[in-house]
Amino acid sequence: MEWSAGRTQVNSWNEWDPLRHVIVGRATDCHIPPNEPALEAKVPEDSDMRGMWGKRPQESIDRGNELLDGFAALLEARGIRVDRPDPIDFSQPVTTPDFHTGSQFGCMPPRDVLLTVGHEMLEATMSYRCRWFEYLCYRPLMQRYFEEDPRFRHEAAPKPRLTDADYHKDYLSEKIGVEKRLQWAADKHFVTTEEEPLFDAADVLRFGRDLVVQHGFTTNQKGIEWLRRHFPDHRVHAVNFPGDPYPIHIDATFTPLRPGLILNNPQRRLPEGQREMFHRNGWEIVDAAQPAHNSPPPLCYSSTWLSMNVLVLDPKTVCVEKSEVYQAEQMDRLGMEVIPVELRDAYAFGGGLHCCTADVYREGGCEDYFPKA
Ligand code: DAV
């Protein structure tokens, strides 16, 4: 079916086909959640966020929203339809029969929650207690897409119980040290256990018939197995990146730009054995350029590698954060047209240009990019 801006269609099979309709998150009411096992493991040991929680300063929220609104307007000016989530009151605690936590998080990164595969949008289980209800921010949009697109499949993965059995106790310490963390990451000993299926949507990359999923803090092997059973017509590949002491989400580590080309974080290289399927099928994996910054902005969970967290608009065009000059230069050398987008002051709310978006419609269908098994 032809694309038309006036009619909602959910369709997106990969990370690079021409983007026509996207969700852009909001910084509104974003909170730093109180400590919980998954957060304890992720917040870097030297982070300014340790021990803090509560609503983020209103000034920083306003600035974050200014940048996100600017990004949405830039996409709209290029003819892309943009929808926005409806933030809920994130100061509300989350209480289930199994756990209690003092507040929620926010809705800046829809990429973490919503996985679009073809005509389906799947709400991830999530693996942080503070993010258990985050899908509610997207329900008004899901309802609308359901009414407007007869092919749209709205799915939700089983809500996890997130009891203490979901988290390894040896990660619940402030003083593990980077060396031990790297050893644990190499041994695939992550904070989440195999108690029940867990995944965040941002651990999944879509390559047509193939889904590439990072096994790490936010996605366990059972989560990957759940995805395999849920998408029986796809091949689901588990990957891991041993150089990352805080492995959450694949989108500051492995970034496909177009068929045949992927950027890989040079500190988190894909292990040899896992490169074979790419090489056998003529894909090139190149080291990403260095980030332009030595440290993340204040009160930010993510690393400086948000430099690689780009949004591909089509196989020749990519949005790169404005201050990430080395990444922009590399894109240019790789033959991409670069659209600089200012977003750094919004990083603290949950990530970069890829994180703060979720695909609704990209042109094209489900292709096989890896015919040589
Ligand atoms: O490098 O801190 C950030 C990914 C956000 N979705 C990192 C991973």
Side-chain angles (χ1 to χ4, degrees), residues 4-38:
S4 130
R7 192 179 61 228
T8 298
Q9 292 179 73
V10 176
N11 180 77
S12 177
W13 295 94
N14 59 47
E15 306 288 329
W16 56 77
D17 268 342
L19 182 70
R20 300 291 187 203
H21 183 182
V22 73
I23 300 171
V24 172
R26 293 186 195 274
T28 309
D29 196 38
C30 186
H31 278 60
I32 297 178
N35 205 6
E36 60 167 290

PDB file of all heavy atoms in Angstrom, residues 4-38:
ATOM      1  N   SER A   4       0.491   7.429   2.690  1.00  0.00           N
ATOM      2  CA  SER A   4      -0.227   8.699   2.654  1.00  0.00           C
ATOM      3  C   SER A   4      -0.278   9.247   4.073  1.00  0.00           C
ATOM      4  O   SER A   4      -0.629   8.532   5.012  1.00  0.00           O
ATOM      5  CB  SER A   4      -1.625   8.478   2.066  1.00  0.00           C
ATOM      6  OG  SER A   4      -2.599   9.045   2.894  1.00  0.00           O
ATOM      7  N   ALA A   5       0.105  10.531   4.215  1.00  0.00           N
ATOM      8  CA  ALA A   5       0.259  11.110   5.555  1.00  0.00           C
ATOM      9  C   ALA A   5      -1.057  11.114   6.320  1.00  0.00           C
ATOM     10  O   ALA A   5      -1.081  11.041   7.538  1.00  0.00           O
ATOM     11  CB  ALA A   5       0.809  12.529   5.443  1.00  0.00           C
ATOM     12  N   GLY A   6      -2.173  11.160   5.605  1.00  0.00           N
ATOM     13  CA  GLY A   6      -3.465  11.277   6.268  1.00  0.00           C
ATOM     14  C   GLY A   6      -3.987   9.964   6.829  1.00  0.00           C
ATOM     15  O   GLY A   6      -4.937   9.957   7.597  1.00  0.00           O
ATOM     16  N   ARG A   7      -3.371   8.856   6.437  1.00  0.00           N
ATOM     17  CA  ARG A   7      -3.905   7.566   6.878  1.00  0.00           C
ATOM     18  C   ARG A   7      -2.833   6.819   7.670  1.00  0.00           C
ATOM     19  O   ARG A   7      -1.727   6.629   7.193  1.00  0.00           O
ATOM     20  CB  ARG A   7      -4.283   6.751   5.646  1.00  0.00           C
ATOM     21  CG  ARG A   7      -5.106   5.524   5.969  1.00  0.00           C
ATOM     22  CD  ARG A   7      -5.493   4.752   4.724  1.00  0.00           C
ATOM     23  NE  ARG A   7      -4.314   4.282   4.017  1.00  0.00           N
ATOM     24  CZ  ARG A   7      -4.117   4.427   2.714  1.00  0.00           C
ATOM     25  NH1 ARG A   7      -4.995   5.030   1.977  1.00  0.00           N
ATOM     26  NH2 ARG A   7      -3.025   3.978   2.154  1.00  0.00           N
ATOM     27  N   THR A   8      -3.155   6.414   8.881  1.00  0.00           N
ATOM     28  CA  THR A   8      -2.171   5.720   9.704  1.00  0.00           C
ATOM     29  C   THR A   8      -1.915   4.322   9.169  1.00  0.00           C
ATOM     30  O   THR A   8      -2.852   3.569   8.910  1.00  0.00           O
ATOM     31  CB  THR A   8      -2.680   5.597  11.152  1.00  0.00           C
ATOM     32  OG1 THR A   8      -2.840   6.907  11.667  1.00  0.00           O
ATOM     33  CG2 THR A   8      -1.703   4.813  12.019  1.00  0.00           C
ATOM     34  N   GLN A   9      -0.638   4.008   8.981  1.00  0.00           N
ATOM     35  CA  GLN A   9      -0.260   2.627   8.685  1.00  0.00           C
ATOM     36  C   GLN A   9       0.968   2.313   9.514  1.00  0.00           C
ATOM     37  O   GLN A   9       1.913   3.102   9.534  1.00  0.00           O
ATOM     38  CB  GLN A   9       0.120   2.474   7.217  1.00  0.00           C
ATOM     39  CG  GLN A   9      -1.005   2.632   6.243  1.00  0.00           C
ATOM     40  CD  GLN A   9      -0.461   2.485   4.826  1.00  0.00           C
ATOM     41  OE1 GLN A   9      -0.119   1.408   4.380  1.00  0.00           O
ATOM     42  NE2 GLN A   9      -0.339   3.601   4.152  1.00  0.00           N
ATOM     43  N   VAL A  10       0.951   1.180  10.171  1.00  0.00           N
ATOM     44  CA  VAL A  10       2.120   0.753  10.927  1.00  0.00           C
ATOM     45  C   VAL A  10       2.882  -0.233  10.049  1.00  0.00           C
ATOM     46  O   VAL A  10       2.326  -1.255   9.622  1.00  0.00           O
ATOM     47  CB  VAL A  10       1.702   0.117  12.265  1.00  0.00           C
ATOM     48  CG1 VAL A  10       2.916  -0.431  13.011  1.00  0.00           C
ATOM     49  CG2 VAL A  10       0.947   1.132  13.121  1.00  0.00           C
ATOM     50  N   ASN A  11       4.135   0.091   9.761  1.00  0.00           N
ATOM     51  CA  ASN A  11       4.941  -0.761   8.886  1.00  0.00           C
ATOM     52  C   ASN A  11       6.400  -0.342   9.006  1.00  0.00           C
ATOM     53  O   ASN A  11       6.763   0.756   8.594  1.00  0.00           O
ATOM     54  CB  ASN A  11       4.491  -0.581   7.424  1.00  0.00           C
ATOM     55  CG  ASN A  11       5.284  -1.453   6.455  1.00  0.00           C
ATOM     56  OD1 ASN A  11       5.042  -2.650   6.356  1.00  0.00           O
ATOM     57  ND2 ASN A  11       6.247  -0.867   5.761  1.00  0.00           N
ATOM     58  N   SER A  12       7.215  -1.181   9.603  1.00  0.00           N
ATOM     59  CA  SER A  12       8.647  -0.875   9.652  1.00  0.00           C
ATOM     60  C   SER A  12       9.401  -2.162   9.933  1.00  0.00           C
ATOM     61  O   SER A  12       9.167  -2.818  10.943  1.00  0.00           O
ATOM     62  CB  SER A  12       8.932   0.166  10.746  1.00  0.00           C
ATOM     63  OG  SER A  12      10.321   0.399  10.826  1.00  0.00           O
ATOM     64  N   TRP A  13      10.304  -2.509   9.014  1.00  0.00           N
ATOM     65  CA  TRP A  13      10.975  -3.807   9.083  1.00  0.00           C
ATOM     66  C   TRP A  13      12.461  -3.705   9.362  1.00  0.00           C
ATOM     67  O   TRP A  13      13.143  -4.720   9.516  1.00  0.00           O
ATOM     68  CB  TRP A  13      10.792  -4.560   7.756  1.00  0.00           C
ATOM     69  CG  TRP A  13       9.371  -4.917   7.479  1.00  0.00           C
ATOM     70  CD1 TRP A  13       8.480  -4.186   6.730  1.00  0.00           C
ATOM     71  CD2 TRP A  13       8.652  -6.065   7.942  1.00  0.00           C
ATOM     72  NE1 TRP A  13       7.261  -4.822   6.700  1.00  0.00           N
ATOM     73  CE2 TRP A  13       7.344  -5.984   7.430  1.00  0.00           C
ATOM     74  CE3 TRP A  13       8.996  -7.166   8.746  1.00  0.00           C
ATOM     75  CZ2 TRP A  13       6.367  -6.957   7.686  1.00  0.00           C
ATOM     76  CZ3 TRP A  13       8.033  -8.133   9.001  1.00  0.00           C
ATOM     77  CH2 TRP A  13       6.740  -8.026   8.481  1.00  0.00           C
ATOM     78  N   ASN A  14      12.987  -2.503   9.330  1.00  0.00           N
ATOM     79  CA  ASN A  14      14.434  -2.370   9.533  1.00  0.00           C
ATOM     80  C   ASN A  14      14.744  -0.979  10.073  1.00  0.00           C
ATOM     81  O   ASN A  14      13.837  -0.198  10.349  1.00  0.00           O
ATOM     82  CB  ASN A  14      15.192  -2.677   8.227  1.00  0.00           C
ATOM     83  CG  ASN A  14      14.776  -1.739   7.109  1.00  0.00           C
ATOM     84  OD1 ASN A  14      14.701  -0.531   7.296  1.00  0.00           O
ATOM     85  ND2 ASN A  14      14.465  -2.300   5.939  1.00  0.00           N
ATOM     86  N   GLU A  15      16.025  -0.679  10.209  1.00  0.00           N
ATOM     87  CA  GLU A  15      16.461   0.570  10.861  1.00  0.00           C
ATOM     88  C   GLU A  15      16.774   1.676   9.851  1.00  0.00           C
ATOM     89  O   GLU A  15      17.256   2.731  10.249  1.00  0.00           O
ATOM     90  CB  GLU A  15      17.712   0.303  11.716  1.00  0.00           C
ATOM     91  CG  GLU A  15      17.571  -0.834  12.739  1.00  0.00           C
ATOM     92  CD  GLU A  15      16.681  -0.492  13.921  1.00  0.00           C
ATOM     93  OE1 GLU A  15      16.625   0.680  14.302  1.00  0.00           O
ATOM     94  OE2 GLU A  15      16.027  -1.416  14.448  1.00  0.00           O
ATOM     95  N   TRP A  16      16.611   1.432   8.533  1.00  0.00           N
ATOM     96  CA  TRP A  16      17.138   2.397   7.562  1.00  0.00           C
ATOM     97  C   TRP A  16      16.220   2.781   6.409  1.00  0.00           C
ATOM     98  O   TRP A  16      16.444   3.787   5.753  1.00  0.00           O
ATOM     99  CB  TRP A  16      18.452   1.845   6.986  1.00  0.00           C
ATOM    100  CG  TRP A  16      18.254   0.482   6.389  1.00  0.00           C
ATOM    101  CD1 TRP A  16      17.685   0.209   5.171  1.00  0.00           C
ATOM    102  CD2 TRP A  16      18.561  -0.780   6.981  1.00  0.00           C
ATOM    103  NE1 TRP A  16      17.621  -1.147   4.977  1.00  0.00           N
ATOM    104  CE2 TRP A  16      18.160  -1.786   6.064  1.00  0.00           C
ATOM    105  CE3 TRP A  16      19.145  -1.179   8.195  1.00  0.00           C
ATOM    106  CZ2 TRP A  16      18.318  -3.151   6.320  1.00  0.00           C
ATOM    107  CZ3 TRP A  16      19.293  -2.538   8.449  1.00  0.00           C
ATOM    108  CH2 TRP A  16      18.891  -3.501   7.533  1.00  0.00           C
ATOM    109  N   ASP A  17      15.173   2.026   6.128  1.00  0.00           N
ATOM    110  CA  ASP A  17      14.326   2.393   4.985  1.00  0.00           C
ATOM    111  C   ASP A  17      13.692   3.766   5.232  1.00  0.00           C
ATOM    112  O   ASP A  17      13.594   4.205   6.383  1.00  0.00           O
ATOM    113  CB  ASP A  17      13.241   1.319   4.768  1.00  0.00           C
ATOM    114  CG  ASP A  17      13.687   0.230   3.782  1.00  0.00           C
ATOM    115  OD1 ASP A  17      14.650   0.469   3.023  1.00  0.00           O
ATOM    116  OD2 ASP A  17      13.078  -0.867   3.783  1.00  0.00           O
ATOM    117  N   PRO A  18      13.266   4.466   4.160  1.00  0.00           N
ATOM    118  CA  PRO A  18      12.778   5.841   4.325  1.00  0.00           C
ATOM    119  C   PRO A  18      11.689   5.965   5.397  1.00  0.00           C
ATOM    120  O   PRO A  18      10.654   5.298   5.341  1.00  0.00           O
ATOM    121  CB  PRO A  18      12.259   6.181   2.924  1.00  0.00           C
ATOM    122  CG  PRO A  18      13.126   5.367   2.009  1.00  0.00           C
ATOM    123  CD  PRO A  18      13.358   4.061   2.739  1.00  0.00           C
ATOM    124  N   LEU A  19      11.947   6.848   6.358  1.00  0.00           N
ATOM    125  CA  LEU A  19      11.077   7.040   7.525  1.00  0.00           C
ATOM    126  C   LEU A  19       9.970   8.027   7.177  1.00  0.00           C
ATOM    127  O   LEU A  19      10.245   9.115   6.665  1.00  0.00           O
ATOM    128  CB  LEU A  19      11.921   7.579   8.687  1.00  0.00           C
ATOM    129  CG  LEU A  19      11.220   7.812  10.018  1.00  0.00           C
ATOM    130  CD1 LEU A  19      10.827   6.489  10.673  1.00  0.00           C
ATOM    131  CD2 LEU A  19      12.117   8.607  10.974  1.00  0.00           C
ATOM    132  N   ARG A  20       8.726   7.659   7.453  1.00  0.00           N
ATOM    133  CA  ARG A  20       7.579   8.533   7.146  1.00  0.00           C
ATOM    134  C   ARG A  20       6.763   8.917   8.374  1.00  0.00           C
ATOM    135  O   ARG A  20       6.011   9.880   8.333  1.00  0.00           O
ATOM    136  CB  ARG A  20       6.626   7.801   6.175  1.00  0.00           C
ATOM    137  CG  ARG A  20       7.238   7.424   4.866  1.00  0.00           C
ATOM    138  CD  ARG A  20       7.520   8.658   4.052  1.00  0.00           C
ATOM    139  NE  ARG A  20       7.960   8.312   2.722  1.00  0.00           N
ATOM    140  CZ  ARG A  20       8.671   9.136   1.960  1.00  0.00           C
ATOM    141  NH1 ARG A  20       9.018  10.332   2.411  1.00  0.00           N
ATOM    142  NH2 ARG A  20       9.032   8.758   0.766  1.00  0.00           N
ATOM    143  N   HIS A  21       6.868   8.114   9.440  1.00  0.00           N
ATOM    144  CA  HIS A  21       6.009   8.352  10.608  1.00  0.00           C
ATOM    145  C   HIS A  21       6.742   7.823  11.831  1.00  0.00           C
ATOM    146  O   HIS A  21       7.204   6.675  11.835  1.00  0.00           O
ATOM    147  CB  HIS A  21       4.679   7.604  10.391  1.00  0.00           C
ATOM    148  CG  HIS A  21       3.654   7.819  11.474  1.00  0.00           C
ATOM    149  ND1 HIS A  21       2.424   7.202  11.453  1.00  0.00           N
ATOM    150  CD2 HIS A  21       3.664   8.560  12.608  1.00  0.00           C
ATOM    151  CE1 HIS A  21       1.721   7.556  12.515  1.00  0.00           C
ATOM    152  NE2 HIS A  21       2.461   8.381  13.241  1.00  0.00           N
ATOM    153  N   VAL A  22       6.854   8.656  12.849  1.00  0.00           N
ATOM    154  CA  VAL A  22       7.690   8.300  13.998  1.00  0.00           C
ATOM    155  C   VAL A  22       7.093   8.893  15.284  1.00  0.00           C
ATOM    156  O   VAL A  22       6.348   9.876  15.226  1.00  0.00           O
ATOM    157  CB  VAL A  22       9.134   8.824  13.729  1.00  0.00           C
ATOM    158  CG1 VAL A  22       9.207  10.354  13.859  1.00  0.00           C
ATOM    159  CG2 VAL A  22      10.172   8.148  14.590  1.00  0.00           C
ATOM    160  N   ILE A  23       7.402   8.272  16.395  1.00  0.00           N
ATOM    161  CA  ILE A  23       7.036   8.832  17.705  1.00  0.00           C
ATOM    162  C   ILE A  23       8.285   9.487  18.285  1.00  0.00           C
ATOM    163  O   ILE A  23       9.366   8.892  18.242  1.00  0.00           O
ATOM    164  CB  ILE A  23       6.530   7.726  18.659  1.00  0.00           C
ATOM    165  CG1 ILE A  23       5.292   7.035  18.073  1.00  0.00           C
ATOM    166  CG2 ILE A  23       6.230   8.294  20.051  1.00  0.00           C
ATOM    167  CD1 ILE A  23       4.858   5.780  18.849  1.00  0.00           C
ATOM    168  N   VAL A  24       8.150  10.702  18.802  1.00  0.00           N
ATOM    169  CA  VAL A  24       9.267  11.394  19.473  1.00  0.00           C
ATOM    170  C   VAL A  24       8.864  11.609  20.933  1.00  0.00           C
ATOM    171  O   VAL A  24       7.781  12.150  21.212  1.00  0.00           O
ATOM    172  CB  VAL A  24       9.599  12.741  18.782  1.00  0.00           C
ATOM    173  CG1 VAL A  24      10.621  13.535  19.588  1.00  0.00           C
ATOM    174  CG2 VAL A  24      10.106  12.510  17.352  1.00  0.00           C
ATOM    175  N   GLY A  25       9.703  11.207  21.861  1.00  0.00           N
ATOM    176  CA  GLY A  25       9.387  11.256  23.288  1.00  0.00           C
ATOM    177  C   GLY A  25       9.334  12.663  23.866  1.00  0.00           C
ATOM    178  O   GLY A  25       9.589  13.658  23.178  1.00  0.00           O
ATOM    179  N   ARG A  26       9.000  12.740  25.150  1.00  0.00           N
ATOM    180  CA  ARG A  26       8.935  14.021  25.869  1.00  0.00           C
ATOM    181  C   ARG A  26       9.715  13.913  27.181  1.00  0.00           C
ATOM    182  O   ARG A  26       9.771  12.835  27.784  1.00  0.00           O
ATOM    183  CB  ARG A  26       7.493  14.357  26.246  1.00  0.00           C
ATOM    184  CG  ARG A  26       6.557  14.644  25.099  1.00  0.00           C
ATOM    185  CD  ARG A  26       5.215  15.097  25.695  1.00  0.00           C
ATOM    186  NE  ARG A  26       4.139  15.065  24.728  1.00  0.00           N
ATOM    187  CZ  ARG A  26       3.863  16.069  23.887  1.00  0.00           C
ATOM    188  NH1 ARG A  26       4.592  17.163  23.896  1.00  0.00           N
ATOM    189  NH2 ARG A  26       2.852  15.963  23.052  1.00  0.00           N
ATOM    190  N   ALA A  27      10.244  15.037  27.641  1.00  0.00           N
ATOM    191  CA  ALA A  27      10.989  15.063  28.908  1.00  0.00           C
ATOM    192  C   ALA A  27      10.081  15.370  30.099  1.00  0.00           C
ATOM    193  O   ALA A  27      10.510  15.280  31.256  1.00  0.00           O
ATOM    194  CB  ALA A  27      12.099  16.109  28.832  1.00  0.00           C
ATOM    195  N   THR A  28       8.840  15.698  29.831  1.00  0.00           N
ATOM    196  CA  THR A  28       7.893  16.150  30.853  1.00  0.00           C
ATOM    197  C   THR A  28       7.874  15.262  32.108  1.00  0.00           C
ATOM    198  O   THR A  28       7.747  14.046  31.994  1.00  0.00           O
ATOM    199  CB  THR A  28       6.471  16.176  30.233  1.00  0.00           C
ATOM    200  OG1 THR A  28       6.544  16.905  29.011  1.00  0.00           O
ATOM    201  CG2 THR A  28       5.457  16.793  31.170  1.00  0.00           C
ATOM    202  N   ASP A  29       8.006  15.894  33.269  1.00  0.00           N
ATOM    203  CA  ASP A  29       7.848  15.231  34.577  1.00  0.00           C
ATOM    204  C   ASP A  29       8.859  14.096  34.823  1.00  0.00           C
ATOM    205  O   ASP A  29       8.670  13.272  35.718  1.00  0.00           O
ATOM    206  CB  ASP A  29       6.405  14.691  34.711  1.00  0.00           C
ATOM    207  CG  ASP A  29       6.051  14.345  36.153  1.00  0.00           C
ATOM    208  OD1 ASP A  29       6.476  15.089  37.064  1.00  0.00           O
ATOM    209  OD2 ASP A  29       5.382  13.323  36.377  1.00  0.00           O
ATOM    210  N   CYS A  30       9.935  14.075  34.049  1.00  0.00           N
ATOM    211  CA  CYS A  30      10.897  12.962  34.185  1.00  0.00           C
ATOM    212  C   CYS A  30      11.502  12.934  35.600  1.00  0.00           C
ATOM    213  O   CYS A  30      11.881  13.959  36.158  1.00  0.00           O
ATOM    214  CB  CYS A  30      11.992  13.105  33.140  1.00  0.00           C
ATOM    215  SG  CYS A  30      13.120  11.718  33.122  1.00  0.00           S
ATOM    216  N   HIS A  31      11.546  11.737  36.172  1.00  0.00           N
ATOM    217  CA  HIS A  31      12.087  11.534  37.515  1.00  0.00           C
ATOM    218  C   HIS A  31      13.370  10.719  37.486  1.00  0.00           C
ATOM    219  O   HIS A  31      13.535   9.855  36.624  1.00  0.00           O
ATOM    220  CB  HIS A  31      11.065  10.774  38.376  1.00  0.00           C
ATOM    221  CG  HIS A  31      10.008  11.649  38.967  1.00  0.00           C
ATOM    222  ND1 HIS A  31       9.157  12.405  38.193  1.00  0.00           N
ATOM    223  CD2 HIS A  31       9.690  11.889  40.265  1.00  0.00           C
ATOM    224  CE1 HIS A  31       8.330  13.079  39.007  1.00  0.00           C
ATOM    225  NE2 HIS A  31       8.636  12.780  40.263  1.00  0.00           N
ATOM    226  N   ILE A  32      14.225  10.987  38.457  1.00  0.00           N
ATOM    227  CA  ILE A  32      15.297  10.038  38.749  1.00  0.00           C
ATOM    228  C   ILE A  32      14.685   9.054  39.745  1.00  0.00           C
ATOM    229  O   ILE A  32      14.276   9.455  40.834  1.00  0.00           O
ATOM    230  CB  ILE A  32      16.516  10.729  39.380  1.00  0.00           C
ATOM    231  CG1 ILE A  32      17.112  11.741  38.395  1.00  0.00           C
ATOM    232  CG2 ILE A  32      17.569   9.691  39.795  1.00  0.00           C
ATOM    233  CD1 ILE A  32      18.294  12.514  38.935  1.00  0.00           C
ATOM    234  N   PRO A  33      14.540   7.801  39.349  1.00  0.00           N
ATOM    235  CA  PRO A  33      13.858   6.856  40.232  1.00  0.00           C
ATOM    236  C   PRO A  33      14.725   6.490  41.432  1.00  0.00           C
ATOM    237  O   PRO A  33      15.950   6.581  41.361  1.00  0.00           O
ATOM    238  CB  PRO A  33      13.642   5.628  39.350  1.00  0.00           C
ATOM    239  CG  PRO A  33      14.165   5.967  37.994  1.00  0.00           C
ATOM    240  CD  PRO A  33      15.002   7.193  38.099  1.00  0.00           C
ATOM    241  N   PRO A  34      14.080   6.073  42.533  1.00  0.00           N
ATOM    242  CA  PRO A  34      14.854   5.608  43.682  1.00  0.00           C
ATOM    243  C   PRO A  34      15.620   4.338  43.321  1.00  0.00           C
ATOM    244  O   PRO A  34      15.314   3.698  42.325  1.00  0.00           O
ATOM    245  CB  PRO A  34      13.802   5.314  44.744  1.00  0.00           C
ATOM    246  CG  PRO A  34      12.491   5.293  44.063  1.00  0.00           C
ATOM    247  CD  PRO A  34      12.634   5.993  42.757  1.00  0.00           C
ATOM    248  N   ASN A  35      16.567   4.002  44.131  1.00  0.00           N
ATOM    249  CA  ASN A  35      17.392   2.839  43.827  1.00  0.00           C
ATOM    250  C   ASN A  35      16.547   1.554  43.756  1.00  0.00           C
ATOM    251  O   ASN A  35      15.561   1.404  44.464  1.00  0.00           O
ATOM    252  CB  ASN A  35      18.486   2.684  44.889  1.00  0.00           C
ATOM    253  CG  ASN A  35      19.663   1.930  44.312  1.00  0.00           C
ATOM    254  OD1 ASN A  35      19.702   1.629  43.112  1.00  0.00           O
ATOM    255  ND2 ASN A  35      20.615   1.612  45.149  1.00  0.00           N
ATOM    256  N   GLU A  36      16.959   0.673  42.902  1.00  0.00           N
ATOM    257  CA  GLU A  36      16.361  -0.661  42.781  1.00  0.00           C
ATOM    258  C   GLU A  36      17.443  -1.522  42.138  1.00  0.00           C
ATOM    259  O   GLU A  36      18.410  -0.977  41.595  1.00  0.00           O
ATOM    260  CB  GLU A  36      15.084  -0.620  41.933  1.00  0.00           C
ATOM    261  CG  GLU A  36      15.325  -0.116  40.514  1.00  0.00           C
ATOM    262  CD  GLU A  36      14.138  -0.363  39.583  1.00  0.00           C
ATOM    263  OE1 GLU A  36      13.907  -1.540  39.263  1.00  0.00           O
ATOM    264  OE2 GLU A  36      13.483   0.611  39.176  1.00  0.00           O
ATOM    265  N   PRO A  37      17.290  -2.855  42.187  1.00  0.00           N
ATOM    266  CA  PRO A  37      18.419  -3.689  41.760  1.00  0.00           C
ATOM    267  C   PRO A  37      18.938  -3.395  40.349  1.00  0.00           C
ATOM    268  O   PRO A  37      20.149  -3.310  40.134  1.00  0.00           O
ATOM    269  CB  PRO A  37      17.849  -5.110  41.846  1.00  0.00           C
ATOM    270  CG  PRO A  37      16.737  -5.031  42.830  1.00  0.00           C
ATOM    271  CD  PRO A  37      16.183  -3.642  42.731  1.00  0.00           C
ATOM    272  N   ALA A  38      18.032  -3.197  39.372  1.00  0.00           N
ATOM    273  CA  ALA A  38      18.481  -2.998  37.996  1.00  0.00           C
ATOM    274  C   ALA A  38      19.249  -1.684  37.849  1.00  0.00           C
ATOM    275  O   ALA A  38      20.201  -1.583  37.076  1.00  0.00           O
ATOM    276  CB  ALA A  38      17.296  -3.016  37.049  1.00  0.00           C
TER     277      ALA A  38
END
